Amino acid sequence: MKRRAIIYCENQFGSMDGKTANGLIRDPGYYQIDAVIDSTKAGRDAGEYLDKKRNGIPICSSLEEAIRVSKVKPQYFIFGIAPSNAFLQAGEREILKKAMEAGMHIINPLQEFLTDDEEMVEYAKKHGVTIQDIRKPKPKKEWKMFTGRILQIETPIVAFLGTDGACGKRTTAMIVEQELKRRGFRTAFIATGQTGLIQGASYGLAVDAFPMQYVIGELENEIIKANKIEKPDVILVEGQGALSHPAYGSSFSILKGSRPKAVILQHPPKRKVLGDFPFMKMPSLRSELELIEYVGHTKVISITLNHEGMTEREIERTILEYEQQFQLPTTDVLLKGPEKVADSMIEFFPSLKQKQQEMSRMVAI
């Protein structure tokens, strides 16, 4: 059975910093989400607010209200905010304590590890609950360095990168994965951030929890493990940040560690400045594409859009404009579906095209 949970996302649901909550509403993975806490949007339906699709998950003004509207008392309290500094803000410790008082286990995606906080550990013990620090890395003695074994993998590896942080890379990757599965392909998804791990990804790590040289080795190891166990037709790697981003090195580590043979590039056309760094202009789509291909020795094979701030007409116009300008399939997977992206992957990788032909022959027989 799925774990029943409440997500805390005060003042941030639907925003960049609310990406953990946003992702769990779209795909709760292990969990059944009973409510979202954000007093600034209280009374709304979470799915309708996020994607204009009602899902019956209410947005509540307080923890007490969220517990009250849940049909069964939730077992888990998920902190759904992902601020750039990844630490608790004023007042947030108190809401975590209240959740523990209510008998709820804490799922913490921040880089502030609550299991290292004596007060919070004692509070959890007092109320008979647990704390899970999603980003907390395993013991240092278990960390892996890059070995080069990934260079021997013949399975297609595709990375989902972007022009900024929190622009929909993981969401796009997961939607494309479902489309490939629907078509009969075996897939392996490699999570690289806290949301994918909370959702229950079988393989991955929080890349910003490790020093860079170990991120590369750990990611390589996760891909090798997934390839051995799952024997997938294709491996999908979640991206983080952006290669050109002045504050993040995660995309560089992902390119180094996963050695993707192809890249899907996610871009929010309406953003003028980087999400958490308003003093920095957004890179152009072309500059990011060229940088990825140069640094990663790879090929961008499709462009996907984040439609924030865009009208339907603008989305349609932008898709046509990018397809003409870059000669690459372009779509918005949330609104237009993932078919173009899946098609581009099958067209690019001979092994996927061959398997599709074999599946088609079997259906014909």
Side-chain angles (χ1 to χ4, degrees):
M1 292 180 64
K2 288 197 172 188
R3 308 165 182 174
R4 304 188 79 101
I6 285 171
I7 302 175
Y8 176 80
C9 198
E10 179 60 26
N11 198 38
Q12 297 297 338
F13 184 63
S15 73
M16 277 189 61
D17 283 357
K19 66 179 183 179
T20 297
N22 304 341
L24 288 166
I25 289 299
R26 290 181 173 125
D27 185 348
Y30 281 145
Y31 298 92
Q32 177 176 321
I33 308 303
D34 289 336
V36 175
I37 300 171
D38 183 345
S39 64
T40 65
K41 293 133 191 131
R44 304 285 297 273
D45 178 274
E48 185 175 53
Y49 182 84
L50 196 60
D51 294 320
K52 298 181 180 178
K53 299 176 183 176
R54 290 187 64 85
N55 60 11
I57 300 173
I59 304 177
C60 300
S61 61
S62 66
L63 174 62
E64 293 76 13
E65 181 187 358
I67 293 173
R68 189 170 61 250
V69 302
S70 300
K71 294 179 181 177
V72 177
K73 183 181 176 182
Q75 305 159 288
Y76 292 86
F77 180 91
I78 302 173
F79 193 87
I81 305 173
S84 58
N85 65 7
F87 289 92
L88 289 172
Q89 304 302 302
E92 291 173 348
R93 288 178 68 86
E94 295 308 310
I95 190 71
L96 289 170
K97 287 181 178 180
K98 285 184 178 180
M100 287 190 273
E101 290 170 7
M104 301 171 71
H105 304 289
I106 304 299
I107 306 297
N108 171 38
L110 303 178
Q111 286 181 342
E112 180 177 352
F113 301 142
L114 301 180
T115 52
D116 291 339
D117 185 315
E118 289 186 13
E119 181 189 16
M120 298 302 271
V121 169
E122 286 302 314
Y123 215 79
K125 286 181 181 178
K126 178 182 176 181
H127 294 284
V129 299
T130 60
I131 298 172
Q132 184 179 359
D133 288 323
I134 299 298
R135 270 183 164 124
K136 193 170 187 178
K138 60 189 177 183
K140 289 184 179 179
K141 63 182 180 181
E142 298 177 17
W143 293 1
K144 304 282 193 305
M145 292 285 286
F146 183 73
T147 66
R149 291 178 297 159
I150 197 166
L151 303 176
Q152 308 305 316
I153 289 182
E154 296 181 357
T155 307
I157 299 173
V158 182
F160 288 72
L161 304 182
T163 54
D164 192 9
C167 65
K169 298 178 285 291
R170 178 191 43 76
T171 297
T172 291
M174 296 182 83
I175 291 173
V176 171
E177 182 189 29
Q178 290 303 313
E179 173 64 13
L180 290 168
K181 285 181 175 180
R182 186 189 68 79
R183 297 188 189 195
F185 293 97
R186 290 176 60 87
T187 66
F189 176 74
I190 313 297
T192 59
Q194 70 277 7
T195 307
L197 296 174
I198 293 173
Q199 289 170 320
S202 298
Y203 305 96
L205 67 154
V207 296
D208 54 8
F210 293 82
M212 186 174 290
Q213 69 268 34
Y214 288 106
V215 170
I216 295 168
E218 283 290 325
L219 182 55
E220 176 195 42
N221 188 66
E222 287 296 303
I223 292 171
I224 289 168
K225 182 168 61 175
N227 192 57
K228 180 180 179 180
I229 295 172
E230 303 298 334
K231 296 179 173 52
D233 298 308
V234 60
I235 297 170
L236 311 180
V237 182
E238 175 192 9
Q240 295 292 327
L243 189 57
S244 65
H245 202 294
Y248 305 139
S250 46
S251 285
F252 185 77
S253 299
I254 288 168
L255 280 173
K256 289 284 188 180
S258 67
R259 303 288 166 139
K261 300 171 179 69
V263 168
I264 310 302
L265 183 53
Q266 177 92 357
H267 178 60
K270 282 286 191 173
R271 283 193 198 176
K272 303 300 180 186
V273 295
L274 295 174
D276 288 318
F277 299 85
F279 53 87
M280 296 292 299
K281 293 176 93 174
M282 279 284 293
S284 70
L285 182 56
R286 181 172 295 281
S287 69
E288 194 73 27
L289 185 154
E290 292 176 350
L291 184 62
I292 288 168
E293 292 189 340
Y294 179 77
V295 172
H297 303 288
T298 186
K299 175 67 177 173
V300 174
I301 61 171
S302 185
I303 296 167
T304 52
L305 304 182
N306 176 324
H307 59 255
E308 61 184 38
M310 300 179 73
T311 65
E312 179 71 24
R313 191 170 183 178
E314 286 174 325
I315 294 167
E316 295 283 0
R317 187 169 63 243
T318 301
I319 288 172
L320 291 174
E321 176 188 325
Y322 286 176
E323 289 189 331
Q324 292 171 0
Q325 184 177 351
F326 297 100
Q327 294 297 296
L328 290 172
T330 303
T331 192
D332 178 330
V333 300
L334 277 172
L335 297 182
K336 303 294 182 182
E339 292 81 8
K340 279 186 183 180
V341 182
D343 289 344
S344 73
M345 293 166 63
I346 294 166
E347 183 65 28
F348 185 77
F349 290 106
S351 63
L352 297 183
K353 183 179 284 189
Q354 181 180 349
K355 175 154 186 178
Q356 179 174 261
Q357 291 169 348
E358 290 172 356
M359 290 188 293
S360 296
R361 284 196 294 270
M362 289 179 66
V363 169
I365 293 172

